[in-house]
Amino acid sequence: MFNTVSDMFTKGNIASLNKAMLHSSYWAQSGAKLYTPTQQNQCWLSWLANTGMLSFELIEQVEQTNRSLVMANALVDIEGHSSNSDHLASFLIGFDIEHNGSNIKSISLNVDPARLCQVLKQEPATLQKWWPKKDPLVLSDLDHQIHANTVHASPSLVLALDKDVSEETLKCLNKWWCIHQQGLLGDIFDCYTTDAVIEQSEYAVQLSLLDYFKHVAQASVSCERAYCQLVDITVSKNTAFVNWRIEADGQHGRTRQSFFSLLKMAKDKVSHQYTILS
């Protein structure tokens, strides 16, 4: 089903995507869910009008019976030249597609709007004019006086019934999650290979382990009452797609920030990580 979605971005083929969507199907983007062609077509046409037809460099694609997960670099043709040499004309894009093989139930698009502004050389105000408006959020207050018996979601709990995931992979994913949920920054140098490829949608270059250590540390202290929530995780062999979010107190009250991460593991450590702040 990914080909049907990618054809809209790379060929402008909206008709096939419309045909695959059911009346109850939705397109999710940056906290907004769009239903029916009335909303969806406007969003897709806005993409084509502002980015032109994109081309994709696949980073990873996992196909399951009723789900397709994809991480790619989207290349934008700037002044007739499409180049990914230093990511100046590209941005990370992720797809989580639920389907039954012929019809699509939902499409979750993950892209960093701030990074897209840089690539398109658009002002944030310009992007906001064509970007879907977020659905209202109802966020519960977080009590940091956690009860002693409280159990937080972890990869091993979410994947408890998946017998195809090895014990080594679970240990690696649990350690990776503790870095973000519990702030165990020292584990970065043990959880990742020394030459790990780390890409964050906010940055135009790959990060070293030290750079990533500083990034996580700065992100941890930039907001108050922050709490990491594991939303979903899918594992195929040594590859994991993770949907997660952070709820925290920001300048405008309680906010929620979503992330979409692709992790590739080698020798029980993370060798590649691609994360989109969406």
Side-chain angles (χ1 to χ4, degrees), residues 176-220:
W176 175 85
W177 182 238
C178 286
I179 292 171
H180 300 89
Q181 188 187 57
Q182 300 179 25
L184 305 184
L185 300 185
D187 284 350
I188 287 176
F189 301 100
D190 183 50
C191 183
Y192 294 81
T193 60
T194 55
D195 58 348
V197 173
I198 301 176
E199 290 195 24
Q200 297 281 126
S201 62
E202 307 100 299
Y203 300 93
V205 296
Q206 294 180 0
L207 303 180
S208 66
L209 288 185
L210 184 57
D211 290 334
Y212 189 60
F213 179 94
K214 294 178 180 177
H215 165 79
V216 177
Q218 290 172 353
S220 299

Side-chain angles (χ1 to χ4, degrees), residues 142-143 145-153 157 227:
L142 175 66
D143 184 0
Q145 293 182 342
I146 300 296
H147 190 276
N149 294 325
T150 296
V151 177
H152 301 282
L157 287 175
Y227 181 74

Side-chain angles (χ1 to χ4, degrees), residues 68-137:
S68 300
L69 293 153
V70 177
M71 181 75 75
N73 266 314
L75 309 185
V76 181
D77 191 354
I78 302 296
E79 297 180 353
H81 298 284
S82 182
S83 172
N84 192 33
S85 57
D86 53 8
H87 286 222
L88 290 178
S90 72
F91 57 93
L92 284 174
I93 190 167
F95 298 91
D96 186 346
I97 308 168
E98 289 186 89
H99 59 84
N100 63 5
S102 56
N103 292 108
I104 296 173
K105 180 180 179 181
S106 68
I107 305 171
S108 295
L109 173 75
N110 296 275
V111 67
D112 185 344
R115 175 63 184 157
L116 187 59
C117 280
Q118 295 174 359
V119 171
L120 299 179
K121 299 179 180 179
Q122 286 187 356
E123 294 295 327
T126 301
L127 184 108
Q128 289 175 5
K129 291 180 181 179
W130 64 273
W131 206 250
K133 301 296 186 293
K134 288 187 177 182
D135 296 333
L137 293 177

